[in-house]
Amino acid sequence: MRLAGWLLDSPRLGQATSVKRLAGNLLKQPARQGVVEAQSRLGLLLCRDCGNARDRRIGQALLQQAARAGDERALQALGQAENPPLSE
């Protein structure tokens, strides 16, 4: 869990697709076990960096679970997803 967070937060490493995939794999089990931070981080990762609709739906569901538990990052992400910025 901490390793995944470190990888994602690293300015240089966190941008690489392979690093994101590794971090996602590290977050899956804790997220399934109900670890709120893992749900939030994996949900964000799936929503932002996955190109298919299935992964985005899973990411949204994880963010919703984390938001129900009070995770601020998930609440913010869902707020942005539900109220996208208006284009000028």
Side-chain angles (χ1 to χ4, degrees), residues 1-80:
M1 178 70 211
R2 289 193 329 209
L3 177 59
W6 179 80
L7 288 170
L8 292 172
D9 293 338
S10 173
R12 293 180 73 195
L13 291 175
Q15 301 305 313
T17 302
S18 59
V19 172
K20 290 178 186 178
R21 187 173 296 122
L22 174 62
N25 286 332
L26 292 171
L27 290 169
K28 279 182 188 177
Q29 189 63 33
R32 286 184 185 135
Q33 293 173 344
V35 176
V36 175
E37 184 181 353
Q39 291 171 339
S40 178
R41 295 300 297 255
L42 184 56
L44 283 171
L45 190 61
L46 291 172
C47 286
R48 291 180 181 167
D49 296 311
C50 290
N52 65 57
R54 178 182 173 270
D55 285 346
R56 284 192 300 274
R57 281 192 308 272
I58 293 169
Q60 282 288 102
L62 287 168
L63 286 173
Q64 289 169 350
Q65 288 175 7
R68 280 193 296 272
D71 184 84
E72 191 64 36
R73 183 181 295 153
L75 287 167
Q76 277 186 333
L78 287 172
Q80 291 171 357

